């Protein structure tokens, strides 16, 4: 399988796409005003212990308290002879002691979504390129993806020898064939980082942020740019330099796989990623042969309905249903991964009467989900054609990344977010400038988008766009224009040119 990482950086966002055999498999999005929080470490304070829920709410300084399940509370907070004034409870491993007002370190493991705060753990982990440092642990582990028993044993012995006192280590897959010196450098950097975190924690009071995880682009390069990636393409010169500098330090053998994209055609247009993203937020997804699936988000779960649609098979209903269901199983596994759908997912397959055929669907689902980095549990198809699965949720679904509640309909419909509109506008301007060569343009947008583009002083978004593309843009506002739309007027041609450069 050929794997490529494609990175598009614009004023409003950085988008990272993982392609597998030229098909979009995963998409990551980071925006300046909405940075990812997974991996951040806080000095928090227990707000409330809920014994019945086997959890506690932790104040980390956010509007919403973080959620700490007892199973995510590490051994660092076991009760001792002087600390027994709280709730002593089982976390599946040992007894833990939590009480209101208690201060503790927690690390975000899941982003907040909807009305729920982030999920946290007190079992801190600091990932490096080759190892993960686990402070206040003594465990040494090796990635399960390393299947060579001899190499696994070698890496485990090295980790035991290099492990800092009072810390555990997990050796990552990319450490395969790496020598002692390489692993030592990674471990020393992480241990030094942890000591800095500890020193900072002594100077601040709870709740406070004491460690900020690296940017999305940096974490994706660290975690995903492994030897099985054939190519990494980025369209930002600054980001290209940063990535190359990092790779030359930690994995110089991969440096020749990093490329700077310089063509005029927008990078995501070239690889048809824009089309795949657009498909990734639609309700209906067509299957090969005419069938389709419908994906619906609800508060409690995601439901997926499989339909035969325009599929034309033979006269054997069971055989036709099996073909459509197999295609649907493969596509919905891809969509779960692409859309980053987590939690409970209920799939309504087309009815099949034979148990052997239902097992084929279950086996196909398990095979396809092995491609997914997120953990998932899949139940067999029940007698009513229903399959229930759970998938690990780490960040909000793709739908909620690119869409926001419509202010006109109070959330009953969805429109593109301002950041997405700006990104689309910037791509439109790229096409306009490259194809027309014109130097002046008038843009008319909704008042909300107008203020979003022009506020924040001389270095606002529209001024940065003008500077980048060497294009003078006169801004106008009109409340009749849709919040996610715009119109463009060419001074040279004295005409509306909006539709001429949409693709």
């Amino acid at each position: 399988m050929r794997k490529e990482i494609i990175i598009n950086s614009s004023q409003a966002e950085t988008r990272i796409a993982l392609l597998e055999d030229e098909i979009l498999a995963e998409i990551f999005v980071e925006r300046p005003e909405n940075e990812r929080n997974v991996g951040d470490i806080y000095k928090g304070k227990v707000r409330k212990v809920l014994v019945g829920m086997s959890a506690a709410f932790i104040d980390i300084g956010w509007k919403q308290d973080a959620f700490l399940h007892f199973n995510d509370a590490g051994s660092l907070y076991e009760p001792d002879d002087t600390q027994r004034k709280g709730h002593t409870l089982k976390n599946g491993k040992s007894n833990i002691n939590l009480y209101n007002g208690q201060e503790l370190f927690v690390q975000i493991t899941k982003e907040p979504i909807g009305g729920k705060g982030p999920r946290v753990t007190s079992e801190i982990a600091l990932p490096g390129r080759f190892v993960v440092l686990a402070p206040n642990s003594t465990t040494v582990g090796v990635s399960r993806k390393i299947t060579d028993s001899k190499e696994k044993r070698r890496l485990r012995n090295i980790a035991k020898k290099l492990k800092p006192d009072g810390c555990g280590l997990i050796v990552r897959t990319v450490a395969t064939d790496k020598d002692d010196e390489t692993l030592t450098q990674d471990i020393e950097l992480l241990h030094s980082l942890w000591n800095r975190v500890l020193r900072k924690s002594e100077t601040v009071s709870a709740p406070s942020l004491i460690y900020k995880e690296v940017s999305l682009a940096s974490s994706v390069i660290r975690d995903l740019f492994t030897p099985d990636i054939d190519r990494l393409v980025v369209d930002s010169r600054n980001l290209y330099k940063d990535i190359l500098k990092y790779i030359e330090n930690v994995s110089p053998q991969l440096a020749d796989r990093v490329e700077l994209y310089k063509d005029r055609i927008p990078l995501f247009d070239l690889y048809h990623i824009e089309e795949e993203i657009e498909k990734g937020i639609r309700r209906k997804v067509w299957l090969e042969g005419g069938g389709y699936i419908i994906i619906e988000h609800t508060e409690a779960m995601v439901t997926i309905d499989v339909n035969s649609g325009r599929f034309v098979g033979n006269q054997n209903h069971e055989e036709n249903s099996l073909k459509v269901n197999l295609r649907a199983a493969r596509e919905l596994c891809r969509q779960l991964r692409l859309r980053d759908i987590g939690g409970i997912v209920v799939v309504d397959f087309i009815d099949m009467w034979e148990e052997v055929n239902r097992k084929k669907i279950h086996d196909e689902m398990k095979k396809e989900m092995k491609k997914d980095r997120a953990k998932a549990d899949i139940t067999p198809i029940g007698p009513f054609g229903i399959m229930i699965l759970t998938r690990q949720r780490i960040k909000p679904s793709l739908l909620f990344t690119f869409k926001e509640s419509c202010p006109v309909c109070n959330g009953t419909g969805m429109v593109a977010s301002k950041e997405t509109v700006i990104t689309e506008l910037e791509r439109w301007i790229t096409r306009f400038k490259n194809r027309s060569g014109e130097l002046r343009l008038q843009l008319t947008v909704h008042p909300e988008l107008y203020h979003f583009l022009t506020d924040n002083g001389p270095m606002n978004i529209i001024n940065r766009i003008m500077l980048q593309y060497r294009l003078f843009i006169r801004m106008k506002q009109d409340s009749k224009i849709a919040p996610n739309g715009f119109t463009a007027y060419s001074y040279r041609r004295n005409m509306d040119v909006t539709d001429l450069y949409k693709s």
Side-chain angles (χ1 to χ4, degrees), residues 41-44 77 103-106 193-211:
I41 302 174
Y42 285 82
K43 184 178 183 179
Y77 302 107
E103 295 185 357
L104 71 169
F105 292 168
V106 291
L193 172 60
W194 176 241
N195 286 331
R196 292 199 302 272
V197 171
L198 290 176
R199 287 195 296 270
K200 182 175 180 179
S201 71
E202 295 172 355
T203 64
V204 299
S205 57
S208 294
L209 174 68
I210 55 176
Y211 169 73

Side-chain angles (χ1 to χ4, degrees), residues 68-77 91 96 98 104-109 120-125 135-136 194:
L68 173 67
H69 193 275
F70 293 159
N71 286 341
D72 296 322
S75 58
L76 176 64
Y77 302 107
N91 73 347
I96 60 171
L98 289 174
L104 71 169
F105 292 168
V106 291
Q107 185 172 36
I108 295 179
T109 57
V120 296
T121 178
S122 66
E123 297 178 327
I124 307 299
N136 306 300
W194 176 241

Side-chain angles (χ1 to χ4, degrees), residues 289-307:
Y292 64 90
I293 60 177
I294 296 289
I295 303 174
E296 295 279 9
H297 289 260
T298 72
E299 187 72 20
M301 67 186 72
V302 172
T303 62
I304 300 178
D305 186 30
V306 180
N307 294 277

